Each structure stands twice: as structure tokens, then as C-alpha cells.
Amino acid sequence: MSITKVTSHISPNEQLIFERSQPGRAGFSLPPLDVDETPLEEMIPRELQRDDALAGMPEVTEVDVIRHFTRISTWNYSIDLGMYPLGSCTMKYNSRLNEKVARIAGFANLHPLAAEAEAQGALEVIYELQQHLAEITGLPGISLQPAAGAHGEMTGIMIIRAFIDARDGKEKSAQRRTMLIPDSAHGTNPASAHLSGFTVKTIKSTAEGLTDLDHLRELCAHGEVAGLMLTNPNTLGLFEKNIQQICDIVHDAGGLVYMDGANMNALVGVARPGDMGVDVIHLNLHKTFSTPHGGGGPGSGPCCCTKELEPFLPVPRIVQLSNGEVSTGSGSDRVFKLDFNYPQSIGRVKAFYGNYGMMLRALAYILTHGRDGLREATEAAVLNARYIAHGLVSDYEKPFDGAPMHEVVFTDKRQARKGVHTLDIAKRLIDYGFHPMTIYFPLIVSGAMLIEPTESVGHQELDQFIEAMRSIAKEALEDPELVLNAPHSTRIGRLDEAAAARKPVLRWKPAPAESHATATQS
């Protein structure tokens, strides 16, 4: 084994803070009272007082507490520590400059109920970010309200539903309730379609991993298609080269095309969904534009659409006025306003402005990169994925010949002959100091390993990752047990992941007194 990154933890068997408790230890020391003691009942009503003497609370010193939580904090693996190659879930480095901008006091301390006149700077930030995202996507209508990717996804489908209702009338619209979704799609796509009142039909992928045009035509011929939810590049890491033809087929059938923008990190500055024929798209600011990601949010999933769909966007919308008229100019007399006057709108989808801190970070990312920098980042992300594809193709099965975009799919087909599967390879990768890639997704690829390095990863670390993966492939052939029993360097080895998910133990309980005494005596 050739480990070049990982370092063992100084104390991998940390006790819980409750288990570190010792009777009589304390984190404070108070001087004797120099005033008369006030009975507790005079300050706190009796019914609000505890009578258990804080039973079960740990008795520890300040040093115990600080060292305990500092050690635990080092167990987390984050993008700040190293490569995070999750495929179909971009995890790029978030620069500190973006964080500094988001913490500017005038923004961070702004009350969400502040009057428009007192929030002009915040509104201008939203308006400017809208302008940039419209230019990047080629779609002029935009709302920054949605709070996350799946939220933006559902907002986009609700807009399609509202548009069709208005275009076709209630009776005819009720006959158009089918949403087409490729079999390689993200799992949130059918959920959003179902929640918006659509029935889902699945489109097959071709042997090349692209949308099957013949199957698409067959489904569209039924005449009840409301739209298509397409990810491009798709979750196999491949660009849908027939995208304009796909859009034409759906449009000819009276449907609209929604694009899942989760993979926009492969397109920004290079290609625009609006130019491809897409009608509506959601973006993941927390993926493509370098805002924090993970841990459940907060994220931000702006929704961009054509001029035709713009009346249906959520309200309020941010508009710029000059001399009392809506304007797109840059004069000194301009003011920004929350505009609710869109009678065909699907309504509000998020309180206040949305997750505003994410907008600040995204705008900082866009402005610091500039037009050329955004394109360079995209090209570097694609180049890095192709570098990994080239580096691993001799050791792992690559199911599709097409050149990958920002992510690449491998399988465990060769390693499975020795009983080593995708999960084992992912666990072994932890011993080499890397966060595992996405595994078993997309679902249409058996034993899938979906790897996305992003542009944030340098040449040296790419080589380390390739070397680690190739070493694991060699181990799978020569010493399969080493991989099957991984990880070996972590505090906890293999977990029963099903039990951990379905029967989590979230609360510490003290051992019964009798058994504790017995254990102590033994």
C-alpha cells in the first residue's frame, strides 16, 4: 500500500463527554459570597426549579471540554481538508473571500423586515446577481427565492404547470399531465413532478448513455406530454449532444423542457441552456457558484426561464426603477423595489428574499472570476474529470466510451470477479485519505462509481487520487481481504449502514447503577 495523504488520529477512541465525567470535577471556581445570600425561590418560581441536582450532567473541567470537542472537530472530513470527488453533487472549494463578503455587517445584520428604502443595497445585490445568472443561462426570467436545488426544481415544474393551465385552459390542461424523465435522472426529478400533479414516464437511455430519441418520439406521440425533465450533462457525465433535437421533439408535442441545472459546473461560460432550446432551469448556487454545501443547507436554487414563462415566476420579484419606470439602465437615480404585481405568478415559495447569504457568496464568486475566469473554471473541471478517466481506464471498467464532461463513471466489473465490489473500493479509499466518490448512482449502471474532481483539485492531488484507486485495484486482485475489510485507519470500521439509518441511537443513556458497579469491580 502506498499511502501519501492519510495521517492517523492522535486519539481515535474518544469517549463521550458523559463518559469522561468524574465526580467533583468542575469548569469554574467562585469566590466566597461577600453579600447576603438570596433564597433561590425569590428569583425563580418553585415550579420552574429542577429537583434532581442536574443528574446525568457531565462533571468535567474546562480543559476536558475544550480538548474533547477540539479532538472531535478534527474527525470531520471537509472540502477544506482535501478532494471531495462526489459525482453529480459538485463539491468545489469555497473561497474565504466569498465568506468575508457574506459577513459584511451591513448585509449580515440587515433585518428581513427592513423597509425597501433601508435595504436598497441588499436589493441591488439580488438584482445584479439575477442579471449575471440570466446572462450565464441565456434565460431572462429569474427568481432567486427557491431555497435549494430540489426546491428550485419543483418551482420550475410548477411554472410549467401554471403556463400550460393558462395556455390550454383548465379542461384541456387536465389532459396534459405526463412528465417525461430519463432513466438516468436524479431521484428528486420524479418527486418534483409527482408533487406538482404530473404522472411520470421514463425515457430509456441508449447504449451510448444518451437520451433515446426514438423512445422520446414514441412517448411524445401520445399527446399528453406536459414536459421533459433533463439533466445536461446527464448523470452519466455525458453531454446530451442531441439537445436541440430533443427540445424540438418536446416542443412539437406541446410540452416544455425543464433542465436540471445540477451539472452546470460543466457548462458555465461555455454553453447556455437557453440557446439549446431549454425553457426553464434551476441552478444550484451551492454547487456551481461556490457557496457552502452539505449538512442540509442552507442552499439556494434560483429558477431561470424564458420570457414566455416569466409571468409565472414566484413573487415578489426584484425590479429596478428609474424616474418611476421599470428600467435596466445604470443611472444614479435608480431604486430597487419588491414587485408583487404579477397576477399569473405561482406565488411565494420562500419567506423574505430567500437564503440571502448564498446570493452574496455567489455574486462574489462570479465577480472575482469574471467572464474569462468562469469559462476557465469550467474547462478545468472538465479537463480534471477527463484526466481521471484517462488515468483509471486501464484498471476499472468504463461503461461508456463518450468523452466525460465534469464527472466520469466507472464500475466494479473487473474487481467483482474477486468478490470486491463498489462499496469495498469506496471504504478502502478512506484509508488512502480521500473522501469516497458517489457509489451505486446512476442507478442504470451496475456497481457505479461516479467521480467528479471539480476545478478546485490540482494536478498533484489528481495524481494521488489516481494512484490510490490503482493501488486498490491491484489489492483487489492480489489481496482481496484487505479491501473487503477496509477501512483500517478509522475510529470505526464497517457500520451496519441499514441499521444506522433505520435505528439510529441519538441519545446517550447512563448504564444502570448495578451493572455499572459490577463492571467497575470486574
PDB file of all heavy atoms in Angstrom, residues 224-246:
ATOM      1  N   GLU A 224     -50.153  13.737 -24.568  1.00  0.00           N
ATOM      2  CA  GLU A 224     -50.484  14.225 -23.224  1.00  0.00           C
ATOM      3  C   GLU A 224     -49.249  14.715 -22.463  1.00  0.00           C
ATOM      4  O   GLU A 224     -49.274  14.893 -21.255  1.00  0.00           O
ATOM      5  CB  GLU A 224     -51.142  13.095 -22.421  1.00  0.00           C
ATOM      6  CG  GLU A 224     -50.273  11.851 -22.324  1.00  0.00           C
ATOM      7  CD  GLU A 224     -51.015  10.653 -21.753  1.00  0.00           C
ATOM      8  OE1 GLU A 224     -52.256  10.649 -21.820  1.00  0.00           O
ATOM      9  OE2 GLU A 224     -50.344   9.754 -21.246  1.00  0.00           O
ATOM     10  N   VAL A 225     -48.175  14.959 -23.206  1.00  0.00           N
ATOM     11  CA  VAL A 225     -46.912  15.330 -22.575  1.00  0.00           C
ATOM     12  C   VAL A 225     -46.899  16.805 -22.179  1.00  0.00           C
ATOM     13  O   VAL A 225     -47.118  17.680 -23.018  1.00  0.00           O
ATOM     14  CB  VAL A 225     -45.731  15.023 -23.528  1.00  0.00           C
ATOM     15  CG1 VAL A 225     -44.433  15.601 -22.979  1.00  0.00           C
ATOM     16  CG2 VAL A 225     -45.601  13.518 -23.719  1.00  0.00           C
ATOM     17  N   ALA A 226     -46.640  17.057 -20.905  1.00  0.00           N
ATOM     18  CA  ALA A 226     -46.523  18.430 -20.414  1.00  0.00           C
ATOM     19  C   ALA A 226     -45.081  18.917 -20.497  1.00  0.00           C
ATOM     20  O   ALA A 226     -44.835  20.116 -20.671  1.00  0.00           O
ATOM     21  CB  ALA A 226     -46.993  18.515 -18.962  1.00  0.00           C
ATOM     22  N   GLY A 227     -44.139  17.994 -20.362  1.00  0.00           N
ATOM     23  CA  GLY A 227     -42.756  18.446 -20.407  1.00  0.00           C
ATOM     24  C   GLY A 227     -41.764  17.329 -20.229  1.00  0.00           C
ATOM     25  O   GLY A 227     -42.118  16.152 -20.053  1.00  0.00           O
ATOM     26  N   LEU A 228     -40.496  17.720 -20.281  1.00  0.00           N
ATOM     27  CA  LEU A 228     -39.363  16.819 -20.117  1.00  0.00           C
ATOM     28  C   LEU A 228     -38.444  17.406 -19.058  1.00  0.00           C
ATOM     29  O   LEU A 228     -38.164  18.607 -19.074  1.00  0.00           O
ATOM     30  CB  LEU A 228     -38.610  16.682 -21.447  1.00  0.00           C
ATOM     31  CG  LEU A 228     -37.195  16.091 -21.391  1.00  0.00           C
ATOM     32  CD1 LEU A 228     -37.263  14.603 -21.049  1.00  0.00           C
ATOM     33  CD2 LEU A 228     -36.473  16.296 -22.724  1.00  0.00           C
ATOM     34  N   MET A 229     -37.987  16.566 -18.141  1.00  0.00           N
ATOM     35  CA  MET A 229     -37.001  16.991 -17.139  1.00  0.00           C
ATOM     36  C   MET A 229     -35.675  16.334 -17.505  1.00  0.00           C
ATOM     37  O   MET A 229     -35.518  15.125 -17.360  1.00  0.00           O
ATOM     38  CB  MET A 229     -37.440  16.576 -15.737  1.00  0.00           C
ATOM     39  CG  MET A 229     -38.772  17.171 -15.312  1.00  0.00           C
ATOM     40  SD  MET A 229     -39.295  16.677 -13.654  1.00  0.00           S
ATOM     41  CE  MET A 229     -38.210  17.690 -12.635  1.00  0.00           C
ATOM     42  N   LEU A 230     -34.744  17.131 -17.976  1.00  0.00           N
ATOM     43  CA  LEU A 230     -33.491  16.591 -18.500  1.00  0.00           C
ATOM     44  C   LEU A 230     -32.305  17.200 -17.776  1.00  0.00           C
ATOM     45  O   LEU A 230     -32.241  18.422 -17.595  1.00  0.00           O
ATOM     46  CB  LEU A 230     -33.395  16.903 -19.997  1.00  0.00           C
ATOM     47  CG  LEU A 230     -32.207  16.284 -20.731  1.00  0.00           C
ATOM     48  CD1 LEU A 230     -32.436  14.792 -20.952  1.00  0.00           C
ATOM     49  CD2 LEU A 230     -31.994  16.982 -22.080  1.00  0.00           C
ATOM     50  N   THR A 231     -31.370  16.381 -17.373  1.00  0.00           N
ATOM     51  CA  THR A 231     -30.111  16.870 -16.808  1.00  0.00           C
ATOM     52  C   THR A 231     -29.072  16.859 -17.918  1.00  0.00           C
ATOM     53  O   THR A 231     -28.930  15.867 -18.627  1.00  0.00           O
ATOM     54  CB  THR A 231     -29.634  15.966 -15.654  1.00  0.00           C
ATOM     55  OG1 THR A 231     -30.670  15.867 -14.683  1.00  0.00           O
ATOM     56  CG2 THR A 231     -28.390  16.528 -15.001  1.00  0.00           C
ATOM     57  N   ASN A 232     -28.350  17.980 -18.074  1.00  0.00           N
ATOM     58  CA  ASN A 232     -27.360  18.065 -19.137  1.00  0.00           C
ATOM     59  C   ASN A 232     -26.159  18.900 -18.695  1.00  0.00           C
ATOM     60  O   ASN A 232     -26.327  20.077 -18.395  1.00  0.00           O
ATOM     61  CB  ASN A 232     -27.987  18.692 -20.392  1.00  0.00           C
ATOM     62  CG  ASN A 232     -27.139  18.478 -21.619  1.00  0.00           C
ATOM     63  OD1 ASN A 232     -26.297  17.591 -21.652  1.00  0.00           O
ATOM     64  ND2 ASN A 232     -27.360  19.280 -22.635  1.00  0.00           N
ATOM     65  N   PRO A 233     -24.950  18.298 -18.654  1.00  0.00           N
ATOM     66  CA  PRO A 233     -24.634  16.907 -18.936  1.00  0.00           C
ATOM     67  C   PRO A 233     -25.413  15.976 -18.013  1.00  0.00           C
ATOM     68  O   PRO A 233     -25.716  16.328 -16.868  1.00  0.00           O
ATOM     69  CB  PRO A 233     -23.139  16.811 -18.651  1.00  0.00           C
ATOM     70  CG  PRO A 233     -22.638  18.207 -18.695  1.00  0.00           C
ATOM     71  CD  PRO A 233     -23.753  19.080 -18.266  1.00  0.00           C
ATOM     72  N   ASN A 234     -25.728  14.798 -18.511  1.00  0.00           N
ATOM     73  CA  ASN A 234     -26.543  13.899 -17.714  1.00  0.00           C
ATOM     74  C   ASN A 234     -25.735  13.270 -16.574  1.00  0.00           C
ATOM     75  O   ASN A 234     -24.532  13.520 -16.428  1.00  0.00           O
ATOM     76  CB  ASN A 234     -27.197  12.829 -18.609  1.00  0.00           C
ATOM     77  CG  ASN A 234     -26.172  11.928 -19.281  1.00  0.00           C
ATOM     78  OD1 ASN A 234     -25.091  11.676 -18.739  1.00  0.00           O
ATOM     79  ND2 ASN A 234     -26.500  11.427 -20.461  1.00  0.00           N
ATOM     80  N   THR A 235     -26.386  12.475 -15.764  1.00  0.00           N
ATOM     81  CA  THR A 235     -25.710  11.953 -14.570  1.00  0.00           C
ATOM     82  C   THR A 235     -24.705  10.851 -14.904  1.00  0.00           C
ATOM     83  O   THR A 235     -24.046  10.339 -13.996  1.00  0.00           O
ATOM     84  CB  THR A 235     -26.735  11.405 -13.563  1.00  0.00           C
ATOM     85  OG1 THR A 235     -27.462  10.343 -14.180  1.00  0.00           O
ATOM     86  CG2 THR A 235     -27.695  12.488 -13.110  1.00  0.00           C
ATOM     87  N   LEU A 236     -24.595  10.506 -16.178  1.00  0.00           N
ATOM     88  CA  LEU A 236     -23.528   9.596 -16.605  1.00  0.00           C
ATOM     89  C   LEU A 236     -22.292  10.394 -16.990  1.00  0.00           C
ATOM     90  O   LEU A 236     -21.293   9.826 -17.441  1.00  0.00           O
ATOM     91  CB  LEU A 236     -24.006   8.760 -17.801  1.00  0.00           C
ATOM     92  CG  LEU A 236     -25.238   7.892 -17.523  1.00  0.00           C
ATOM     93  CD1 LEU A 236     -25.792   7.308 -18.823  1.00  0.00           C
ATOM     94  CD2 LEU A 236     -24.893   6.769 -16.556  1.00  0.00           C
ATOM     95  N   GLY A 237     -22.367  11.720 -16.830  1.00  0.00           N
ATOM     96  CA  GLY A 237     -21.233  12.576 -17.150  1.00  0.00           C
ATOM     97  C   GLY A 237     -21.124  12.892 -18.622  1.00  0.00           C
ATOM     98  O   GLY A 237     -20.093  13.394 -19.069  1.00  0.00           O
ATOM     99  N   LEU A 238     -22.181  12.654 -19.385  1.00  0.00           N
ATOM    100  CA  LEU A 238     -22.125  12.822 -20.837  1.00  0.00           C
ATOM    101  C   LEU A 238     -23.016  13.967 -21.291  1.00  0.00           C
ATOM    102  O   LEU A 238     -24.152  14.116 -20.804  1.00  0.00           O
ATOM    103  CB  LEU A 238     -22.569  11.522 -21.525  1.00  0.00           C
ATOM    104  CG  LEU A 238     -21.772  10.266 -21.134  1.00  0.00           C
ATOM    105  CD1 LEU A 238     -22.409   9.028 -21.744  1.00  0.00           C
ATOM    106  CD2 LEU A 238     -20.312  10.399 -21.572  1.00  0.00           C
ATOM    107  N   PHE A 239     -22.505  14.756 -22.213  1.00  0.00           N
ATOM    108  CA  PHE A 239     -23.297  15.866 -22.751  1.00  0.00           C
ATOM    109  C   PHE A 239     -24.315  15.319 -23.739  1.00  0.00           C
ATOM    110  O   PHE A 239     -23.976  14.541 -24.638  1.00  0.00           O
ATOM    111  CB  PHE A 239     -22.390  16.877 -23.449  1.00  0.00           C
ATOM    112  CG  PHE A 239     -23.128  18.096 -23.936  1.00  0.00           C
ATOM    113  CD1 PHE A 239     -23.506  19.082 -23.041  1.00  0.00           C
ATOM    114  CD2 PHE A 239     -23.456  18.239 -25.268  1.00  0.00           C
ATOM    115  CE1 PHE A 239     -24.196  20.199 -23.476  1.00  0.00           C
ATOM    116  CE2 PHE A 239     -24.151  19.358 -25.711  1.00  0.00           C
ATOM    117  CZ  PHE A 239     -24.521  20.339 -24.816  1.00  0.00           C
ATOM    118  N   GLU A 240     -25.572  15.734 -23.578  1.00  0.00           N
ATOM    119  CA  GLU A 240     -26.632  15.312 -24.494  1.00  0.00           C
ATOM    120  C   GLU A 240     -26.460  16.078 -25.802  1.00  0.00           C
ATOM    121  O   GLU A 240     -26.996  17.167 -25.989  1.00  0.00           O
ATOM    122  CB  GLU A 240     -28.006  15.587 -23.865  1.00  0.00           C
ATOM    123  CG  GLU A 240     -28.303  14.782 -22.618  1.00  0.00           C
ATOM    124  CD  GLU A 240     -28.770  13.353 -22.949  1.00  0.00           C
ATOM    125  OE1 GLU A 240     -28.866  13.005 -24.134  1.00  0.00           O
ATOM    126  OE2 GLU A 240     -29.030  12.607 -21.986  1.00  0.00           O
ATOM    127  N   LYS A 241     -25.693  15.476 -26.725  1.00  0.00           N
ATOM    128  CA  LYS A 241     -25.339  16.188 -27.947  1.00  0.00           C
ATOM    129  C   LYS A 241     -26.548  16.454 -28.844  1.00  0.00           C
ATOM    130  O   LYS A 241     -26.488  17.306 -29.730  1.00  0.00           O
ATOM    131  CB  LYS A 241     -24.295  15.392 -28.727  1.00  0.00           C
ATOM    132  CG  LYS A 241     -24.738  13.995 -29.126  1.00  0.00           C
ATOM    133  CD  LYS A 241     -23.624  13.231 -29.793  1.00  0.00           C
ATOM    134  CE  LYS A 241     -24.084  11.821 -30.193  1.00  0.00           C
ATOM    135  NZ  LYS A 241     -22.985  11.029 -30.787  1.00  0.00           N
ATOM    136  N   ASN A 242     -27.647  15.748 -28.610  1.00  0.00           N
ATOM    137  CA  ASN A 242     -28.865  15.963 -29.404  1.00  0.00           C
ATOM    138  C   ASN A 242     -29.846  16.903 -28.712  1.00  0.00           C
ATOM    139  O   ASN A 242     -31.049  16.848 -28.971  1.00  0.00           O
ATOM    140  CB  ASN A 242     -29.556  14.617 -29.672  1.00  0.00           C
ATOM    141  CG  ASN A 242     -28.662  13.648 -30.418  1.00  0.00           C
ATOM    142  OD1 ASN A 242     -28.017  14.010 -31.408  1.00  0.00           O
ATOM    143  ND2 ASN A 242     -28.588  12.409 -29.936  1.00  0.00           N
ATOM    144  N   ILE A 243     -29.340  17.752 -27.846  1.00  0.00           N
ATOM    145  CA  ILE A 243     -30.223  18.544 -27.003  1.00  0.00           C
ATOM    146  C   ILE A 243     -31.191  19.409 -27.804  1.00  0.00           C
ATOM    147  O   ILE A 243     -32.376  19.517 -27.457  1.00  0.00           O
ATOM    148  CB  ILE A 243     -29.405  19.409 -26.001  1.00  0.00           C
ATOM    149  CG1 ILE A 243     -30.320  20.273 -25.126  1.00  0.00           C
ATOM    150  CG2 ILE A 243     -28.359  20.244 -26.710  1.00  0.00           C
ATOM    151  CD1 ILE A 243     -31.222  19.485 -24.229  1.00  0.00           C
ATOM    152  N   GLN A 244     -30.740  20.022 -28.898  1.00  0.00           N
ATOM    153  CA  GLN A 244     -31.654  20.871 -29.667  1.00  0.00           C
ATOM    154  C   GLN A 244     -32.750  20.038 -30.323  1.00  0.00           C
ATOM    155  O   GLN A 244     -33.914  20.443 -30.373  1.00  0.00           O
ATOM    156  CB  GLN A 244     -30.867  21.674 -30.717  1.00  0.00           C
ATOM    157  CG  GLN A 244     -30.019  22.779 -30.075  1.00  0.00           C
ATOM    158  CD  GLN A 244     -29.320  23.649 -31.097  1.00  0.00           C
ATOM    159  OE1 GLN A 244     -28.814  23.149 -32.100  1.00  0.00           O
ATOM    160  NE2 GLN A 244     -29.257  24.935 -30.835  1.00  0.00           N
ATOM    161  N   GLN A 245     -32.383  18.844 -30.789  1.00  0.00           N
ATOM    162  CA  GLN A 245     -33.379  17.948 -31.387  1.00  0.00           C
ATOM    163  C   GLN A 245     -34.368  17.470 -30.312  1.00  0.00           C
ATOM    164  O   GLN A 245     -35.577  17.378 -30.555  1.00  0.00           O
ATOM    165  CB  GLN A 245     -32.651  16.756 -32.010  1.00  0.00           C
ATOM    166  CG  GLN A 245     -33.470  15.993 -33.016  1.00  0.00           C
ATOM    167  CD  GLN A 245     -32.653  14.927 -33.724  1.00  0.00           C
ATOM    168  OE1 GLN A 245     -31.429  14.853 -33.569  1.00  0.00           O
ATOM    169  NE2 GLN A 245     -33.338  14.081 -34.484  1.00  0.00           N
ATOM    170  N   ILE A 246     -33.845  17.186 -29.125  1.00  0.00           N
ATOM    171  CA  ILE A 246     -34.712  16.766 -28.007  1.00  0.00           C
ATOM    172  C   ILE A 246     -35.736  17.862 -27.696  1.00  0.00           C
ATOM    173  O   ILE A 246     -36.937  17.596 -27.547  1.00  0.00           O
ATOM    174  CB  ILE A 246     -33.849  16.450 -26.767  1.00  0.00           C
ATOM    175  CG1 ILE A 246     -33.047  15.165 -26.993  1.00  0.00           C
ATOM    176  CG2 ILE A 246     -34.710  16.341 -25.519  1.00  0.00           C
ATOM    177  CD1 ILE A 246     -32.004  14.898 -25.933  1.00  0.00           C
TER     178      ILE A 246
END
